[in-house]
Amino acid sequence: MSSAARPDPAETPEEQRFLSTEEAAALERELLEDYRFGRQQLVELCGHASAVAVTKVFPLPTLSRKQRTVLVVCGPEQNGAVGLVCARHLRVFEYEPTIFYPTRSLDLLHRDLTTQCEKMDIPFLSYLPTEVQLINDAYGLVVDAVLGPGVQPGEIGGPCTRALATLKLLSIPLVSLDIPSGMPGWDAETGGGDSEDGLRPDVLVSLAAPKRCAGRFSGRHHFVAGRFVPDDVRRKFALRLPGYTGTDCVAAL
Amino acid sequence: MSSAARPDPAETPEEQRFLSTEEAAALERELLEDYRFGRQQLVELCGHASAVAVTKVFPLPTLSRKQRTVLVVCGPEQNGAVGLVCARHLRVFEYEPTIFYPTRSLDLLHRDLTTQCEKMDIPFLSYLPTEVQLINDAYGLVVDAVLGPGVQPGEIGGPCTRALATLKLLSIPLVSLDIPSGMPGWDAETGGGDSEDGLRPDVLVSLAAPKRCAGRFSGRHHFVAGRFVPDDVRRKFALRLPGYTGTDCVAAL
């Protein structure tokens, strides 16, 4: 095909691998309603896979003690629940997670996942320093579990919005779960990853399947954590993803 | 300590690694009630780890197409729910599971896990051939998810009891989840693994922690799938288990 005949980028097969916000919601509905997956089950699978992705980019034996410290910033929605599970598995993998979860959901699932972390002695920060250097000095990396696709920063309240503003300024590695949280340029639909306003994660872990904004991700490592997605659902949503190896729950894109 | 002063074998450190039925129930209560783990979450973690254990003993690339076929026999209790999850993950890992689940639980969790398997086109057998050679010829291995500790064969009805009688006669490899199901000699409390009446699995996957009967397991491979058990709980129940490697969810004992 000559370059003159190239279709609109949004129509190319490459682009079709990435889901719009509506498609992502439809895929999740299919898993929950048709396949009868439980939310607890999906959040557990996604959080576990997110922690495994972290270990692939930052293998424990290569890290100093300080580098093993991970700040996990959790929002009040489902993305934050995945962050809580990710923190627990990171602890199990012998990292040293700390959680910042300023706007707590009243949802029973969130409360139970919080209790699991608290009982495992994972520290919860009561506030996030606005002095960025304090965070750069204290942690080896940050996991952004603030916002998933379709949730705008305006919907989640002040503490999370302020946390995003702080995360934007960090110099330590940033791992975003599902999408880089909430900045206008990273809207899952429009995919404007070049915006100077957005978080610029080094690692992106797409949950279930990559969202459209992932098409413009320019960080070092992009993983998809969707091995649990049944073949029929992959076909239905035209997901052409790389194969998973062995029993791996994540694949590098 | 001289040998004359040796305590009762049940008190030795070695024996303390294995839980009685009551201790296993207490450990589970601790996870569910104190740590607020969900049953869906624990069953998912255990079933996933059981499937991973199968892949370690029977790696896919070493198997012929016939050897990849796995018959998963599920009972009506929690052990059967773990079997359903194990079957789903085996399918995801590209094995070819078939499920025999003759006495179906009305529990919503069991029903949802069944739907997941059905929607993923995992075949369910409507009856188990009593002709053992048919099973030996059709499958590469069998997963025994019939009974957990504390459940007696008499409590689960005819089809499961008959299935156990059939499993006892198979010549293909047998993988038991948590305990070899239900034969008198394999009671979790008494640990009489030498009984001629019992199932003699080649592989045992202890869930959370080994039950006392595992002390007399004489098969080839014994795994523990309990990486999710928090350190404090391991200490409380005096579990001295080998370390897990990397992100492995099972460890060989």
Side-chain angles (χ1 to χ4, degrees):
Chain A
M1 192 185 291
S2 76
S3 64
R6 271 176 84 188
D8 182 89
E11 298 295 314
T12 62
E14 179 64 20
E15 284 296 310
Q16 284 172 25
R17 290 166 51 198
F18 303 113
L19 303 180
S20 68
T21 305
E22 285 72 28
E23 286 170 324
L27 188 152
E28 185 172 294
R29 265 200 313 278
E30 179 115 4
L31 295 178
L32 292 169
E33 293 172 15
D34 293 0
Y35 280 80
R36 305 288 308 162
F37 277 93
R39 202 169 282 280
Q40 193 183 93
Q41 197 178 9
L42 292 180
V43 164
E44 186 69 26
L45 289 164
C46 288
H48 171 257
S50 298
V52 169
V54 168
T55 71
K56 291 199 180 278
V57 181
F58 308 99
L60 197 70
T62 68
L63 303 180
S64 67
R65 189 170 172 98
K66 185 253 175 181
Q67 288 172 320
R68 295 176 185 193
T69 56
V70 184
L71 176 63
V72 184
V73 184
C74 299
E77 311 279 346
Q78 184 160 302
N79 207 256
V82 175
L84 293 168
V85 175
C86 176
R88 172 164 45 82
H89 284 283
L90 284 174
R91 171 55 145 262
V92 164
F93 298 153
E94 298 177 36
Y95 291 71
E96 295 186 22
T98 290
I99 294 170
F100 180 56
Y101 177 32
T103 310
R104 299 206 176 186
S105 169
L106 296 177
D107 189 80
L108 185 61
L109 174 59
H110 285 71
R111 276 160 38 201
D112 285 349
L113 295 174
T114 304
T115 300
Q116 290 161 29
C117 290
E118 287 172 343
K119 294 269 300 174
M120 287 173 73
D121 290 330
I122 299 176
F124 281 69
L125 294 185
S126 53
Y127 70 97
L128 192 68
T130 48
E131 180 60 68
V132 175
Q133 198 52 43
L134 288 175
I135 302 173
N136 287 334
D137 290 346
Y139 301 99
L141 62 131
V142 173
V143 172
D144 154 33
V146 183
L147 287 179
V151 186
Q152 298 301 317
E155 299 171 35
I156 51 160
C160 284
T161 309
R162 285 193 294 278
L164 288 178
T166 303
L167 296 192
K168 212 168 58 173
L169 303 172
L170 294 176
S171 58
I172 53 177
L174 180 69
V175 180
S176 283
L177 304 192
D178 209 17
I179 63 164
S181 286
M183 295 295 161
W186 273 108
D187 175 72
E189 187 64 43
T190 55
D194 298 332
S195 165
E196 299 250 325
D197 288 342
L199 292 184
R200 307 283 299 249
D202 303 276
V203 182
L204 179 62
V205 186
S206 292
L207 304 179
K211 313 310 176 292
R212 197 165 284 170
C213 66
R216 298 201 194 165
F217 169 68
S218 60
R220 289 179 295 153
H221 302 278
H222 184 192
F223 294 94
V224 60
R227 189 151 195 186
F228 58 86
V229 179
D231 287 343
D232 277 356
V233 178
R234 291 184 209 193
R235 275 191 289 274
K236 181 168 174 179
F237 288 87
L239 300 174
R240 283 179 296 284
L241 298 170
Y244 295 85
T245 307
T247 59
D248 273 4
C249 54
V250 296
L253 288 178
Chain B
M1 190 185 292
S2 75
S3 63
R6 268 178 84 188
D8 182 270
E11 298 294 313
T12 61
E14 180 64 19
E15 284 296 309
Q16 284 171 26
R17 289 169 52 199
F18 302 112
L19 303 180
S20 68
T21 304
E22 286 70 28
E23 287 170 323
L27 188 150
E28 184 173 295
R29 265 200 313 279
E30 179 115 3
L31 294 178
L32 291 170
E33 293 171 15
D34 293 359
Y35 280 80
R36 304 289 307 161
F37 276 93
R39 202 169 282 280
Q40 194 183 92
Q41 197 179 9
L42 291 180
V43 164
E44 185 69 27
L45 289 163
C46 289
H48 172 257
S50 298
V52 169
V54 168
T55 71
K56 291 198 179 282
V57 182
F58 308 99
L60 196 70
T62 69
L63 302 179
S64 68
R65 189 170 172 98
K66 186 253 174 179
Q67 288 171 320
R68 295 176 184 193
T69 57
V70 184
L71 177 62
V72 184
V73 184
C74 299
E77 310 279 346
Q78 184 160 301
N79 207 257
V82 175
L84 293 168
V85 175
C86 175
R88 172 163 45 83
H89 283 283
L90 284 174
R91 173 56 147 263
V92 164
F93 298 154
E94 299 178 35
Y95 291 72
E96 293 187 22
T98 290
I99 295 170
F100 181 56
Y101 177 34
T103 309
R104 299 206 176 186
S105 169
L106 296 176
D107 189 80
L108 186 60
L109 174 60
H110 285 72
R111 276 162 36 202
D112 286 348
L113 296 173
T114 303
T115 300
Q116 291 162 29
C117 290
E118 287 172 342
K119 293 270 300 175
M120 285 172 74
D121 291 331
I122 299 176
F124 281 70
L125 293 184
S126 53
Y127 70 97
L128 192 70
T130 48
E131 181 60 68
V132 175
Q133 198 52 42
L134 289 175
I135 302 173
N136 286 334
D137 289 346
Y139 301 99
L141 62 131
V142 173
V143 173
D144 155 33
V146 182
L147 288 179
V151 186
Q152 298 301 319
E155 299 171 36
I156 52 161
C160 284
T161 309
R162 285 193 295 277
L164 288 177
T166 303
L167 295 192
K168 211 168 59 173
L169 304 172
L170 294 177
S171 58
I172 52 177
L174 181 68
V175 179
S176 283
L177 305 192
D178 209 18
I179 63 164
S181 286
M183 294 295 161
W186 273 108
D187 176 72
E189 187 64 43
T190 55
D194 298 331
S195 165
E196 300 248 327
D197 288 341
L199 292 184
R200 307 283 300 248
D202 303 276
V203 182
L204 179 62
V205 185
S206 292
L207 305 179
K211 314 308 175 293
R212 197 164 284 170
C213 67
R216 297 202 195 165
F217 169 69
S218 59
R220 290 179 294 153
H221 303 277
H222 184 192
F223 294 94
V224 60
R227 189 150 195 188
F228 58 86
V229 179
D231 287 343
D232 277 356
V233 178
R234 291 185 208 193
R235 275 191 289 273
K236 181 168 175 178
F237 287 88
L239 300 174
R240 282 178 296 283
L241 298 171
Y244 295 85
T245 308
T247 60
D248 273 4
C249 53
V250 296
L253 288 177

